[in-house]
Structure formats: structure tokens, C-alpha cells
Amino acid sequence: MACMLAAALLAAACGRPAAGDYFPLGKGAAWEYAISYKVRGERHTQRLIFSNGDPVVVNDKRYYPRIGLSGKREYFRRTDSGILHVDPVSGKQSQVLKFPLKKGQTWQADSKIKVLEVTGAFTPTFRARIINPVTLTYRIEDSDDTVSVAAGTFRHCLRIRSRGSLFAGKTLQQFMGINSIDIDQTEWYAPGVGLVKTVRQEYTAPGEFKNIYTRELVSYTSG
């Protein structure tokens, strides 16, 4: 781990961030984010704080936990293919970042609707529908972007856009005119820090209902 960290620092100093820098996994690193979104026109805000814990080795595979204030843990792996999120119960893995981290790189991963709501008699039908996963297609649009958030201005960022669509179902289509439930998301990852900003739009098409979710970095410590 010490050698990897030294290599990452050297690459950053030369102006060429190492691939692993964009998703720090070292123990003690901590992030605080400000989250904002609207549901039915009402604005909600909250803070998200988590830190990296001690890595765990199972069957010769190393897993890196991220621990929230509630004690909830999420696990990640770094492989030759990229950074993976791992469900410890099902063992299911999903791609977070895919190597090489260069403009034009693409991959797919499942997501779910987070904040979108509809109103009317068919709200229960909508809620039953959105428990289904939405497959997002990710694409690195830029590998040298600049973004400003509360924590500061970050350069040499990856800008990753992801899109996905879920068929609304025959009932919502027939009675509400909703054909699909869509996600359009943009994320920025900074070298040495990780995720610094997310802007996520969830909407119906035709576009009668739409909610926007934002997540911005407030502070980061490297541990």
C-alpha cells in the first residue's frame, strides 16, 4: 500500500494523476457532502459523512469499507478492470470506475430511482414500478475538467455522464401518458480526493415530473 501511495503522489506531482487517485481507498480518508433535492416542490437538504476503514481480506481478495455515521458499511474492491462496489450479502459487484480512465471510456451498472415522485391516483403504481433497477450507461466525457464546490476548486477532474431509462409500464402509459422514467447524471471525480460533485436528474417522459438531486463536497481529509 505504501508503494502504491508513493507512486500516486509522484504521478500527481508530475501532473499525471494515477488511476487509483480518483477513488481513494486508504484508511482514515473522510468526506463530508452537502445533499439537496426536491420532492413535490419541497426542498430537502442533508449532510453525508463517511470515512474509510481497515481493509478486510476474504479468500485472498482485499475489500475496502466505507463507514457512515450510522455505522453502515459499503465495500469496494480495486481490480485490474477498475473500482467495484461489492454487496457483502449477495456478492453482487457493480462497476464504479472502469480503467483506463480516459475520455470516451464506457461501462454499465444498475441504479435505482432516488427522489422522483409523481402525484395522482396512480402514485402507488409508480412507486411499485421504480423499485426495479435502471441500467445506466456511463461515459467519461472529459478527463481534464475543472469544477468548483464548497470544498474548493478541483482541476484535472474526470467528468462522467450516465443515462438510463425504465419503461413506465402499461398502466402509467395508458392512464398518465408516462412512457418512461429516466435518469441523466453527471459526476466529477478529482485526483487524490474522489467524488466531488454529482448532479442527477430523474424525470418522466413526457416531462411532466422532474426532480434534481445534487451532492457537493464540503470537506475532505486524507487520513
Side-chain angles (χ1 to χ4, degrees):
M1 181 62 72
C3 293
M4 289 175 59
L5 186 56
L9 290 173
L10 178 62
C14 296
R16 298 187 301 274
D21 278 354
Y22 289 95
F23 203 92
L25 294 168
K27 179 185 176 182
W31 296 259
E32 179 180 357
Y33 294 93
I35 292 174
S36 176
Y37 59 94
K38 286 185 177 181
V39 175
R40 296 178 181 174
E42 181 178 347
R43 186 169 180 264
H44 298 261
T45 60
Q46 62 189 74
R47 292 292 173 118
L48 176 64
I49 301 172
F50 55 82
S51 60
N52 288 348
D54 288 310
V56 178
V57 178
V58 179
N59 295 329
D60 296 325
K61 294 180 179 179
R62 187 177 296 269
Y63 298 87
Y64 297 89
R66 286 192 167 178
I67 309 165
L69 289 180
S70 66
K72 180 182 177 181
R73 293 171 179 252
E74 291 188 273
Y75 290 88
F76 298 86
R77 290 188 62 219
R78 187 184 193 277
T79 69
D80 291 341
S81 71
I83 304 296
L84 304 176
H85 177 269
V86 183
D87 185 328
V89 177
S90 67
K92 182 179 179 181
Q93 300 182 148
S94 60
Q95 198 87 44
V96 179
L97 294 174
K98 184 178 180 181
F99 299 153
L101 299 176
K102 63 180 182 179
K103 185 176 180 179
Q105 177 68 282
T106 62
W107 66 94
Q108 290 187 324
D110 283 345
S111 184
K112 288 189 175 182
I113 302 296
K114 292 183 176 181
V115 296
L116 184 63
E117 286 279 1
V118 305
T119 58
F122 291 93
T123 298
T125 304
F126 172 80
R127 289 177 178 167
R129 188 66 183 169
I130 64 172
I131 65 173
N132 295 317
V134 182
T135 299
L136 300 185
T137 298
Y138 293 76
R139 182 178 186 274
I140 299 179
E141 292 189 327
D142 197 344
S143 59
D144 195 23
D145 205 1
T146 298
V147 62
S148 294
V149 294
T153 297
F154 298 88
R155 295 175 174 82
H156 308 302
C157 293
L158 301 175
R159 186 179 76 239
I160 303 172
R161 190 172 185 183
S162 53
R163 296 178 177 177
S165 183
L166 175 68
F167 174 53
K170 292 183 178 180
T171 299
L172 293 176
Q173 187 179 55
Q174 180 178 356
F175 292 98
M176 295 190 70
I178 297 174
N179 295 321
S180 64
I181 302 161
D182 302 321
I183 297 174
D184 188 345
Q185 175 175 276
T186 303
E187 299 171 294
W188 288 262
Y189 287 82
V193 177
L195 181 67
V196 294
K197 184 176 181 179
T198 300
V199 178
R200 181 185 179 100
Q201 300 181 62
E202 297 179 351
Y203 56 95
T204 61
E208 182 178 355
F209 300 97
K210 180 179 180 179
N211 277 332
I212 298 177
Y213 167 100
T214 63
R215 172 172 163 177
E216 293 193 1
L217 185 67
V218 174
S219 66
Y220 167 73
T221 55
S222 59

